[in-house]
């Protein structure tokens, strides 16, 4: 059971994206939708959700519905008590989410925006220093991973994508409390 919070997209938009990802070759959309109905997915699309409300909803869903994983899309759209400083607000949010993960003993996956620093580097690969608005994100996280797609940058620069990189993405594990950090290359 997965609880997915999105302050950016509506439930319909999220499901549409998921159905497209889960569709098998040759499937009609109705077949995909019917097959996916049994997936244990709960979606909360409350816009600008307050961190304390998110915490309470997640805790309740974990206890009442057996949620085993929480995904939040994305950090910068979660609201907090006004602390006069965005860095403090982000730190408060990441601390509350760390507390949530520990109290429920389940993973909390938090999507976060990057600052523009990655685009200024030569190879465009994101680094921990590119996390937007707070060092608390790195500090409170057990793991930080980035997705890097070389083809995206070729397209941005209007260059031809090399065939071997067309469907390639790199999962860069930049921080991992329990294991080594490294980059994994995936072909999709």
């Amino acid at each position: 059971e997965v609880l997915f919070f999105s302050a950016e997209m509506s439930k319909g938009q999220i499901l549409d994206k998921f159905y497209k990802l889960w569709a098998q070759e040759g499937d009609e959309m109705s077949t995909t939708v019917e097959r996916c109905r049994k997936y244990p997915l709960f979606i909360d699309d409350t816009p600008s959700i307050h961190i304390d409300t998110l915490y309470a909803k997640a805790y309740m869903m974990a206890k009442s519905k057996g949620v085993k994983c929480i995904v939040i899309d994305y950090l910068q759209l979660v609201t907090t008590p006004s602390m006069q400083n965005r860095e403090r607000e982000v730190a408060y949010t990441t601390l509350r989410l760390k507390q949530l993960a520990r109290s429920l003993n389940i993973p909390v996956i938090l999507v976060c925006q990057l600052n523009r620093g990655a685009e200024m580097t030569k190879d465009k690969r994101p680094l921990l220093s590119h996390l937007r608005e707070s060092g608390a994100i790195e500090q409170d996280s057990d793991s930080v991973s980035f997705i890097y797609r070389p083809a995206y940058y070729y397209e941005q620069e209007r260059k031809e994508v090399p065939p071997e990189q067309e469907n390639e993405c790199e999962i860069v594990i930049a921080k991992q409390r329990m294991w080594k950090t490294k980059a994994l290359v995936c072909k999709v």
Side-chain angles (χ1 to χ4, degrees):
E1 290 78 13
V2 175
L3 175 57
F4 189 95
F5 286 95
S6 177
E8 183 175 36
M9 294 187 292
S10 71
K11 186 176 186 174
Q13 291 172 314
I14 294 164
L15 287 173
D16 186 52
K17 283 185 176 268
F18 283 158
Y19 293 149
K20 287 175 183 170
L21 284 170
W22 295 331
Q24 295 174 357
E25 194 170 323
D27 269 0
E28 293 287 327
M29 186 54 75
S30 60
T31 306
T32 300
V33 170
E34 195 56 41
R35 187 181 70 252
C36 296
R37 282 185 197 260
K38 63 182 176 246
Y39 292 174
L41 175 66
F42 304 97
I43 299 173
D44 185 313
D45 61 354
T46 306
S48 301
I49 192 166
H50 191 279
I51 183 57
D52 296 330
T53 303
L54 184 150
Y55 187 104
K57 284 181 173 184
Y59 194 88
M60 181 194 70
M61 290 293 288
K63 295 300 181 182
S64 67
K65 302 289 186 188
V67 166
K68 303 282 187 253
C69 179
I70 299 166
V71 179
I72 299 143
D73 181 20
Y74 61 93
L75 171 64
Q76 283 77 10
L77 292 179
V78 175
T79 61
T80 61
S82 179
M83 297 180 174
Q84 315 288 320
N85 174 319
R86 186 64 183 147
E87 189 172 311
R88 282 181 157 171
E89 292 172 5
V90 168
Y92 178 78
T93 301
T94 59
L95 178 62
R96 291 291 284 155
L97 294 172
K98 176 83 170 185
Q99 292 167 343
L100 179 66
R102 291 201 59 196
S103 68
L104 295 173
N105 196 29
I106 63 174
V108 173
I109 300 168
L110 179 60
V111 178
C112 177
Q113 283 187 332
L114 300 177
N115 63 35
R116 299 278 182 209
E119 303 207 358
M120 304 305 164
T121 64
K122 185 176 180 180
D123 70 359
K124 311 282 194 231
R125 281 181 178 73
L127 304 169
L128 289 171
S129 60
H130 299 140
L131 291 170
R132 187 171 174 185
E133 296 175 321
S134 180
I137 300 166
E138 177 187 352
Q139 177 183 318
D140 292 336
S141 300
D142 289 333
S143 177
V144 178
S145 299
F146 302 108
I147 300 170
Y148 170 72
R149 287 187 321 111
Y152 172 82
Y153 292 101
Y154 281 103
E155 291 163 4
Q156 292 297 309
E157 296 170 4
R158 300 188 194 290
K159 294 181 180 175
E160 189 172 331
V161 180
E164 69 276 5
Q165 291 186 330
E166 195 171 300
N167 296 315
E168 183 179 286
C169 76
E170 225 176 86
I171 307 299
V172 179
I173 303 170
K175 177 186 177 185
Q176 184 58 264
R177 279 196 209 282
M178 306 303 277
W179 306 305
K180 295 179 181 177
T181 57
K182 62 181 180 178
L184 307 169
V185 177
C186 309
K187 300 260 186 199
V188 289

